[in-house]
Amino acid sequence: MIDWQIFIVCAVLLMLGLFATGMPIFLAFLTLNLAGLYVLSGSFKGVLLIVNSMYDTSTSMSLAAIPLFILLGEILFRSSAVNVVFNAVDAVVGAVRARLYIVSVVLSTVFGALSGSAMAVAAMMGSSLLPEMWKRGYDRRLSMGTILGGSSLAPIIPPSVMAVVLGILAGVSISGLLVAGIVPGLILGLVFFGYVVLRVKLKPSLAPPSTSDAALPASVRMSLALKALPFVSIIVAIMGLIIAGVATPTEAAAVGCIVALIICSLFATLDMGKLLEALRATARTTSMIMIIMVCSVSFSQILNMSGVTTSLVQAVITLDWSPVLMFALLMGLGFVLCMFIDQIAVMILLVPLYKPIIAGLGFDPLWFWAIFLINVSVGNITPPFGYTLFTLQGVARDAPIQELYRAALPFIVLYAVMIAVFALLPGLITYLPSLM
């Protein structure tokens, strides 16, 4: 049998090579699985193993949460719910210096929770808030940085499609992984908030002076805030059902979609046309994610057949490196790969390799995978090929990509620092899931 080190190196190189050709991710993983099967068995007679694996994955009830969470975000985005929340946050912040920086961070956090899509948040904020920030004299680089940093919270703060995908791939509780993202996501939002306030305090020229016309009467501010409550309560209700153990993520997502339909019909501008658009967009996105997962899930079985899984664990244990160093290496590899390839592809490639390693090292799976999710989320804004960077450039056409790179760097550093904090203080991640 082929040596396991040669097998895994060749598999990874083949995968990266297929990605480099522009081949769709699902075809790349399907090709890798078939090639691995042929190398190990000398024929394609075992192809039924891959077919059965694809069928079992496609019929898993856990995957039902993915289209439901996507539909929930589409309903909220295609109605005027985002405008209501925007007005509420803007009114509550009031007339303070760095006001629009704060609005940017808060809105990105809230919209990330509502949609679960970093690119959708960046596109919306880049086309609506960013031009206004530039027009009023806010620093270009910091303005883009707040949007990039805030939008990358979308996969972390539940409900999150990426958390569902990672939970299925890693074999950990999806409910636990969703809940584990609440505290880290909110803390990261507060860190970004504190960062922009401190930057403006140290260098006032980064933001124009506050004006009295930004301060609305208290009654108006309260009215705008109350209008946003029904939409925010949808997310709170979903997570409440999951934390209380009343509903599974799939059931909670279904309830959230029904409630969103009612609320957006009554308090927003949802109509049949917008609902059909939301359903079409949901079908397209879900199809893309599902076909990738169906075609890639056999990768872990190929690794088991080749002996990579067992040999890799033994090799790691033999190294006798400290858990801290191993943790840093595991996170570092994911971070580097996310600079070049899609989040889901990175998860599918690394999760089967990491699962036996973290078991051998004795890491808490929920703690590790929650931090891993945060880590790969940073890849969205990491040069040179972060997807969110190019999304924001698409709507902010006069911003060169080099300027976006520089805008993202401070927030990447903040993410790295907070990942270290979450690693050193695991209770920040595991406390809420422990209450379930």
Side-chain angles (χ1 to χ4, degrees):
M1 179 176 286
I2 187 170
D3 189 75
W4 72 270
Q5 292 102 328
I6 297 175
F7 183 87
I8 191 59
V9 169
C10 290
V12 172
L13 290 177
L14 174 60
M15 174 59 59
L16 295 177
L18 292 174
F19 287 158
T21 66
M23 179 181 289
I25 295 175
F26 77 94
L27 281 180
F29 275 107
L30 187 59
T31 302
L32 178 65
N33 290 334
L34 291 172
L37 180 65
Y38 184 82
V39 168
L40 293 173
S41 64
S43 69
F44 291 112
K45 293 181 180 178
V47 74
L48 194 59
L49 173 69
I50 294 178
V51 174
N52 288 335
S53 179
M54 293 172 69
Y55 176 79
D56 290 340
T57 302
S58 63
T59 55
S60 171
M61 281 301 296
S62 299
L63 288 174
I66 293 176
L68 291 171
F69 280 141
I70 294 172
L71 178 59
L72 174 63
E74 289 289 339
I75 291 172
L76 292 169
F77 261 72
R78 291 180 186 277
S79 64
S80 61
V82 291
N83 296 326
V84 176
V85 176
F86 185 105
N87 293 332
V89 171
D90 191 27
V92 170
V93 171
V96 296
R97 192 155 196 148
R99 168 172 160 260
L100 289 187
Y101 290 139
I102 297 170
V103 169
S104 174
V105 171
V106 175
L107 280 178
S108 296
T109 304
V110 174
F111 289 159
L114 292 175
S115 72
S117 170
M119 288 188 288
V121 175
M124 191 202 68
M125 297 288 288
S127 59
S128 58
L129 184 62
L130 187 60
E132 185 65 21
M133 295 177 78
W134 288 353
K135 179 182 175 182
R136 297 192 187 186
Y138 284 81
D139 182 74
R140 286 173 58 91
R141 195 179 300 175
L142 188 55
S143 298
M144 293 186 291
T146 56
I147 293 175
L148 290 169
S151 63
S152 57
L153 294 173
I156 303 167
I157 300 177
S160 163
V161 173
M162 289 295 103
V164 176
V165 171
L166 181 57
I168 294 171
L169 292 172
V172 296
S173 166
I174 296 174
S175 300
L177 200 55
L178 285 167
V179 173
I182 296 176
V183 173
L186 295 177
I187 290 176
L188 283 164
L190 288 173
V191 168
F192 297 158
F193 175 91
Y195 169 73
V196 296
V197 170
L198 181 62
R199 282 286 307 275
V200 173
K201 187 174 182 62
L202 295 175
K203 190 177 181 182
S205 61
L206 291 174
S210 59
T211 55
S212 58
D213 62 341
L216 297 173
S219 59
V220 176
R221 295 166 67 181
M222 180 62 70
S223 174
L224 290 171
L226 289 175
K227 287 180 180 178
L229 280 181
F231 306 104
V232 178
S233 66
I234 296 172
I235 306 302
V236 175
I238 290 174
M239 297 317 303
L241 289 172
I242 294 174
I243 293 174
V246 176
T248 65
T250 301
E251 294 164 347
V255 171
C257 287
I258 294 172
V259 174
L261 282 172
I262 297 171
I263 289 178
C264 290
S265 298
L266 295 176
F267 300 105
T269 59
L270 183 67
D271 54 29
M272 187 56 66
K274 291 178 180 178
L275 179 58
L276 289 175
E277 289 177 4
L279 290 170
R280 291 191 194 100
T282 300
R284 286 194 297 269
T285 307
T286 302
S287 300
M288 177 187 69
I289 294 175
M290 295 285 277
I291 196 169
I292 291 173
M293 293 196 66
V294 165
C295 291
S296 64
V297 73
S298 299
F299 183 51
S300 60
Q301 293 176 322
I302 298 296
L303 292 178
N304 287 330
M305 288 172 58
S306 67
V308 167
T309 303
T310 304
S311 301
L312 191 59
V313 174
Q314 291 174 346
V316 169
I317 294 174
T318 303
L319 288 174
D320 198 27
W321 288 353
S322 71
V324 174
L325 179 58
M326 287 304 306
F327 176 84
L329 288 174
L330 294 175
M331 290 297 165
L333 179 58
F335 180 81
V336 171
L337 286 178
C338 276
M339 294 181 184
F340 303 97
I341 57 179
D342 181 75
Q343 279 178 311
I344 295 181
V346 171
M347 289 180 183
I348 294 170
L349 184 63
L350 294 184
V351 170
L353 297 173
Y354 281 12
K355 278 174 66 177
I357 293 175
I358 65 170
L361 293 171
F363 290 158
D364 180 343
L366 189 62
W367 165 80
F368 180 87
W369 292 119
I371 296 179
F372 183 79
L373 179 61
I374 298 171
N375 185 42
V376 297
S377 297
V378 188
N380 271 328
I381 62 170
T382 304
F385 299 121
Y387 283 77
T388 309
L389 292 171
F390 293 103
T391 301
L392 186 58
Q393 189 193 31
V395 293
R397 297 187 182 278
D398 59 340
I401 192 64
Q402 293 83 0
E403 189 177 17
L404 281 162
Y405 289 167
R406 291 191 290 271
L409 284 178
F411 292 88
I412 295 171
V413 172
L414 290 174
Y415 265 111
V417 171
M418 293 312 300
I419 286 174
V421 171
F422 297 139
L424 294 171
L425 301 173
L428 294 174
I429 290 174
T430 58
Y431 176 71
L432 279 183
S434 69
L435 301 178
M436 297 170 60

